[in-house]
PDB file of all heavy atoms in Angstrom:
ATOM      1  N   ASN A   7       2.241  17.740   2.656  1.00 98.00           N
ATOM      2  CA  ASN A   7       3.160  18.877   2.753  1.00 98.00           C
ATOM      3  C   ASN A   7       2.371  20.109   3.223  1.00 98.00           C
ATOM      4  O   ASN A   7       1.382  20.497   2.592  1.00 98.00           O
ATOM      5  CB  ASN A   7       3.787  19.129   1.372  1.00 98.00           C
ATOM      6  CG  ASN A   7       4.738  20.297   1.364  1.00 98.00           C
ATOM      7  OD1 ASN A   7       4.428  21.363   1.889  1.00 98.00           O
ATOM      8  ND2 ASN A   7       5.898  20.128   0.767  1.00 98.00           N
ATOM      9  N   ASP A   9       3.623  23.260   3.787  1.00 98.00           N
ATOM     10  CA  ASP A   9       4.319  24.539   3.524  1.00 98.00           C
ATOM     11  C   ASP A   9       3.345  25.694   3.271  1.00 98.00           C
ATOM     12  O   ASP A   9       3.561  26.817   3.721  1.00 98.00           O
ATOM     13  CB  ASP A   9       5.214  24.432   2.277  1.00 98.00           C
ATOM     14  CG  ASP A   9       6.402  23.517   2.487  1.00 98.00           C
ATOM     15  OD1 ASP A   9       6.682  23.150   3.630  1.00 98.00           O
ATOM     16  OD2 ASP A   9       7.042  23.175   1.473  1.00 98.00           O
ATOM     17  N   HIS A  10       2.282  25.405   2.497  1.00 97.00           N
ATOM     18  CA  HIS A  10       1.426  26.508   2.073  1.00 97.00           C
ATOM     19  C   HIS A  10       0.507  27.028   3.172  1.00 97.00           C
ATOM     20  O   HIS A  10      -0.075  28.098   3.038  1.00 97.00           O
ATOM     21  CB  HIS A  10       0.661  26.136   0.803  1.00 97.00           C
ATOM     22  CG  HIS A  10       1.605  26.004  -0.350  1.00 97.00           C
ATOM     23  ND1 HIS A  10       2.403  27.041  -0.765  1.00 97.00           N
ATOM     24  CD2 HIS A  10       1.949  24.950  -1.123  1.00 97.00           C
ATOM     25  CE1 HIS A  10       3.175  26.634  -1.763  1.00 97.00           C
ATOM     26  NE2 HIS A  10       2.913  25.370  -1.993  1.00 97.00           N
ATOM     27  N   HIS A  43       9.289  21.889   3.881  1.00 98.00           N
ATOM     28  CA  HIS A  43      10.523  22.283   3.191  1.00 98.00           C
ATOM     29  C   HIS A  43      11.036  23.528   3.886  1.00 98.00           C
ATOM     30  O   HIS A  43      10.405  24.576   3.829  1.00 98.00           O
ATOM     31  CB  HIS A  43      10.189  22.551   1.712  1.00 98.00           C
ATOM     32  CG  HIS A  43      11.371  22.895   0.860  1.00 98.00           C
ATOM     33  ND1 HIS A  43      11.258  23.085  -0.497  1.00 98.00           N
ATOM     34  CD2 HIS A  43      12.684  23.086   1.149  1.00 98.00           C
ATOM     35  CE1 HIS A  43      12.457  23.374  -1.005  1.00 98.00           C
ATOM     36  NE2 HIS A  43      13.331  23.393  -0.021  1.00 98.00           N
ATOM     37  N   GLU A  70      12.289  18.304   3.982  1.00 98.00           N
ATOM     38  CA  GLU A  70      12.831  18.576   2.642  1.00 98.00           C
ATOM     39  C   GLU A  70      13.845  19.689   2.744  1.00 98.00           C
ATOM     40  O   GLU A  70      13.560  20.715   3.387  1.00 98.00           O
ATOM     41  CB  GLU A  70      11.692  19.089   1.758  1.00 98.00           C
ATOM     42  CG  GLU A  70      11.228  18.137   0.715  1.00 98.00           C
ATOM     43  CD  GLU A  70      10.227  18.845  -0.181  1.00 98.00           C
ATOM     44  OE1 GLU A  70      10.530  19.921  -0.712  1.00 98.00           O
ATOM     45  OE2 GLU A  70       9.129  18.313  -0.328  1.00 98.00           O
ATOM     46  N   THR A  90      14.602  14.613   2.598  1.00 98.00           N
ATOM     47  CA  THR A  90      14.513  14.565   1.137  1.00 98.00           C
ATOM     48  C   THR A  90      15.292  15.739   0.566  1.00 98.00           C
ATOM     49  O   THR A  90      14.970  16.897   0.848  1.00 98.00           O
ATOM     50  CB  THR A  90      13.040  14.607   0.668  1.00 98.00           C
ATOM     51  OG1 THR A  90      12.354  13.481   1.230  1.00 98.00           O
ATOM     52  CG2 THR A  90      12.937  14.543  -0.849  1.00 98.00           C
ATOM     53  N   VAL A  92      16.471  18.238  -2.230  1.00 97.00           N
ATOM     54  CA  VAL A  92      15.877  18.835  -3.433  1.00 97.00           C
ATOM     55  C   VAL A  92      16.777  19.970  -3.928  1.00 97.00           C
ATOM     56  O   VAL A  92      17.532  20.544  -3.151  1.00 97.00           O
ATOM     57  CB  VAL A  92      14.459  19.403  -3.139  1.00 97.00           C
ATOM     58  CG1 VAL A  92      13.524  18.313  -2.667  1.00 97.00           C
ATOM     59  CG2 VAL A  92      14.510  20.540  -2.135  1.00 97.00           C
ATOM     60  N   THR A 100       8.090  27.304  -6.892  1.00 78.00           N
ATOM     61  CA  THR A 100       8.122  26.020  -6.193  1.00 78.00           C
ATOM     62  C   THR A 100       9.251  25.199  -6.813  1.00 78.00           C
ATOM     63  O   THR A 100       9.845  25.615  -7.814  1.00 78.00           O
ATOM     64  CB  THR A 100       6.760  25.293  -6.314  1.00 78.00           C
ATOM     65  OG1 THR A 100       6.833  24.032  -5.625  1.00 78.00           O
ATOM     66  CG2 THR A 100       6.380  25.029  -7.767  1.00 78.00           C
ATOM     67  N   THR A 101       9.576  24.061  -6.203  1.00 79.00           N
ATOM     68  CA  THR A 101      10.656  23.222  -6.717  1.00 79.00           C
ATOM     69  C   THR A 101      10.364  22.863  -8.169  1.00 79.00           C
ATOM     70  O   THR A 101       9.272  22.396  -8.482  1.00 79.00           O
ATOM     71  CB  THR A 101      10.774  21.938  -5.870  1.00 79.00           C
ATOM     72  OG1 THR A 101      10.708  22.302  -4.491  1.00 79.00           O
ATOM     73  CG2 THR A 101      12.074  21.223  -6.142  1.00 79.00           C
ATOM     74  N   PHE A 132      15.223  13.778  -4.594  1.00 98.00           N
ATOM     75  CA  PHE A 132      14.137  14.135  -5.521  1.00 98.00           C
ATOM     76  C   PHE A 132      14.733  14.095  -6.918  1.00 98.00           C
ATOM     77  O   PHE A 132      15.671  14.845  -7.234  1.00 98.00           O
ATOM     78  CB  PHE A 132      13.649  15.538  -5.165  1.00 98.00           C
ATOM     79  CG  PHE A 132      12.417  15.990  -5.881  1.00 98.00           C
ATOM     80  CD1 PHE A 132      11.284  15.206  -5.950  1.00 98.00           C
ATOM     81  CD2 PHE A 132      12.373  17.262  -6.454  1.00 98.00           C
ATOM     82  CE1 PHE A 132      10.140  15.647  -6.587  1.00 98.00           C
ATOM     83  CE2 PHE A 132      11.236  17.728  -7.078  1.00 98.00           C
ATOM     84  CZ  PHE A 132      10.112  16.910  -7.151  1.00 98.00           C
ATOM     85  N   GLU A 152      12.653  10.078  -4.684  1.00 98.00           N
ATOM     86  CA  GLU A 152      11.300  10.589  -4.876  1.00 98.00           C
ATOM     87  C   GLU A 152      11.216  11.024  -6.330  1.00 98.00           C
ATOM     88  O   GLU A 152      11.901  11.972  -6.758  1.00 98.00           O
ATOM     89  CB  GLU A 152      11.005  11.762  -3.945  1.00 98.00           C
ATOM     90  CG  GLU A 152       9.590  12.295  -4.167  1.00 98.00           C
ATOM     91  CD  GLU A 152       9.203  13.465  -3.269  1.00 98.00           C
ATOM     92  OE1 GLU A 152       9.717  13.582  -2.143  1.00 98.00           O
ATOM     93  OE2 GLU A 152       8.362  14.274  -3.722  1.00 98.00           O
ATOM     94  N   GLY A 191       6.219  12.626  -6.014  1.00 98.00           N
ATOM     95  CA  GLY A 191       5.507  13.837  -5.620  1.00 98.00           C
ATOM     96  C   GLY A 191       5.769  15.008  -6.529  1.00 98.00           C
ATOM     97  O   GLY A 191       6.699  15.012  -7.326  1.00 98.00           O
ATOM     98  N   HIS A 192       4.934  15.973  -6.380  1.00 98.00           N
ATOM     99  CA  HIS A 192       4.894  17.293  -7.012  1.00 98.00           C
ATOM    100  C   HIS A 192       3.758  17.358  -8.026  1.00 98.00           C
ATOM    101  O   HIS A 192       3.766  16.659  -9.032  1.00 98.00           O
ATOM    102  CB  HIS A 192       6.198  17.706  -7.686  1.00 98.00           C
ATOM    103  CG  HIS A 192       6.366  19.199  -7.639  1.00 98.00           C
ATOM    104  ND1 HIS A 192       5.702  20.025  -8.505  1.00 98.00           N
ATOM    105  CD2 HIS A 192       7.043  19.996  -6.793  1.00 98.00           C
ATOM    106  CE1 HIS A 192       5.991  21.272  -8.196  1.00 98.00           C
ATOM    107  NE2 HIS A 192       6.795  21.292  -7.158  1.00 98.00           N
ATOM    108  N   GLY A 193       2.788  18.192  -7.694  1.00 98.00           N
ATOM    109  CA  GLY A 193       1.682  18.436  -8.611  1.00 98.00           C
ATOM    110  C   GLY A 193       0.636  17.329  -8.649  1.00 98.00           C
ATOM    111  O   GLY A 193      -0.300  17.404  -9.456  1.00 98.00           O
ATOM    112  N   LEU A 194       0.767  16.323  -7.819  1.00 98.00           N
ATOM    113  CA  LEU A 194      -0.270  15.276  -7.809  1.00 98.00           C
ATOM    114  C   LEU A 194      -1.537  15.887  -7.209  1.00 98.00           C
ATOM    115  O   LEU A 194      -1.476  16.667  -6.248  1.00 98.00           O
ATOM    116  CB  LEU A 194       0.199  14.059  -6.996  1.00 98.00           C
ATOM    117  CG  LEU A 194       1.377  13.298  -7.627  1.00 98.00           C
ATOM    118  CD1 LEU A 194       1.900  12.210  -6.690  1.00 98.00           C
ATOM    119  CD2 LEU A 194       0.990  12.694  -8.981  1.00 98.00           C
ATOM    120  N   SER A 213       4.019  12.338  -1.684  1.00 98.00           N
ATOM    121  CA  SER A 213       4.060  13.574  -0.921  1.00 98.00           C
ATOM    122  C   SER A 213       3.209  14.590  -1.688  1.00 98.00           C
ATOM    123  O   SER A 213       3.524  14.933  -2.820  1.00 98.00           O
ATOM    124  CB  SER A 213       5.529  14.015  -0.835  1.00 98.00           C
ATOM    125  OG  SER A 213       5.643  15.360  -0.474  1.00 98.00           O
ATOM    126  N   ILE A 214       2.120  15.017  -1.046  1.00 98.00           N
ATOM    127  CA  ILE A 214       1.175  15.910  -1.729  1.00 98.00           C
ATOM    128  C   ILE A 214       0.871  17.099  -0.824  1.00 98.00           C
ATOM    129  O   ILE A 214       0.587  16.923   0.363  1.00 98.00           O
ATOM    130  CB  ILE A 214      -0.128  15.152  -2.094  1.00 98.00           C
ATOM    131  CG1 ILE A 214       0.192  13.895  -2.927  1.00 98.00           C
ATOM    132  CG2 ILE A 214      -1.088  16.071  -2.862  1.00 98.00           C
ATOM    133  CD1 ILE A 214      -1.021  13.086  -3.364  1.00 98.00           C
ATOM    134  N   GLY A 215       0.953  18.296  -1.401  1.00 98.00           N
ATOM    135  CA  GLY A 215       0.729  19.486  -0.598  1.00 98.00           C
ATOM    136  C   GLY A 215      -0.342  20.384  -1.154  1.00 98.00           C
ATOM    137  O   GLY A 215      -1.480  20.425  -0.667  1.00 98.00           O
ATOM    138  N   PHE A 216       0.000  21.083  -2.226  1.00 98.00           N
ATOM    139  CA  PHE A 216      -0.834  22.184  -2.703  1.00 98.00           C
ATOM    140  C   PHE A 216      -2.285  21.771  -2.952  1.00 98.00           C
ATOM    141  O   PHE A 216      -3.216  22.465  -2.529  1.00 98.00           O
ATOM    142  CB  PHE A 216      -0.216  22.779  -3.974  1.00 98.00           C
ATOM    143  CG  PHE A 216      -0.895  24.032  -4.414  1.00 98.00           C
ATOM    144  CD1 PHE A 216      -0.717  25.213  -3.718  1.00 98.00           C
ATOM    145  CD2 PHE A 216      -1.742  24.038  -5.510  1.00 98.00           C
ATOM    146  CE1 PHE A 216      -1.364  26.377  -4.105  1.00 98.00           C
ATOM    147  CE2 PHE A 216      -2.396  25.208  -5.911  1.00 98.00           C
ATOM    148  CZ  PHE A 216      -2.203  26.368  -5.200  1.00 98.00           C
ATOM    149  N   ALA A 217      -2.484  20.635  -3.610  1.00 98.00           N
ATOM    150  CA  ALA A 217      -3.854  20.224  -3.965  1.00 98.00           C
ATOM    151  C   ALA A 217      -4.704  20.008  -2.712  1.00 98.00           C
ATOM    152  O   ALA A 217      -5.889  20.385  -2.690  1.00 98.00           O
ATOM    153  CB  ALA A 217      -3.822  18.945  -4.801  1.00 98.00           C
TER     154      ALA A 217
HETATM  155  N1  LIG B 301       7.791  16.660  -3.310  1.00 69.56           N
HETATM  156  C1  LIG B 301       8.732  17.637  -3.370  1.00 69.56           C
HETATM  157  C2  LIG B 301      10.159  17.227  -3.413  1.00 69.56           C
HETATM  158  C3  LIG B 301       8.362  18.990  -3.376  1.00 69.56           C
HETATM  159  O1  LIG B 301       9.323  19.940  -3.447  1.00 69.56           O
HETATM  160  C4  LIG B 301       6.999  19.322  -3.290  1.00 69.56           C
HETATM  161  C5  LIG B 301       6.592  20.774  -3.275  1.00 69.56           C
HETATM  162  O2  LIG B 301       7.058  21.410  -2.155  1.00 69.56           O
HETATM  163  C6  LIG B 301       6.062  18.293  -3.209  1.00 69.56           C
HETATM  164  C7  LIG B 301       6.475  16.973  -3.249  1.00 69.56           C
HETATM  165  C8  LIG B 301       4.598  18.570  -3.097  1.00 69.56           C
HETATM  166  O3  LIG B 301       4.172  19.177  -4.259  1.00 69.56           O
HETATM  167  P1  LIG B 301       2.684  19.764  -4.332  1.00 69.56           P
HETATM  168  O4  LIG B 301       2.611  20.868  -3.330  1.00 69.56           O
HETATM  169  O5  LIG B 301       2.567  20.228  -5.738  1.00 69.56           O
HETATM  170  O6  LIG B 301       1.769  18.631  -3.997  1.00 69.56           O
END
Side-chain angles (χ1 to χ4, degrees):
N7 179 313
D9 292 347
H10 292 301
H43 183 176
E70 251 187 53
T90 300
V92 300
T100 180
T101 315
F132 188 49
E152 179 180 331
H192 211 281
L194 293 173
S213 163
I214 305 181
F216 188 73

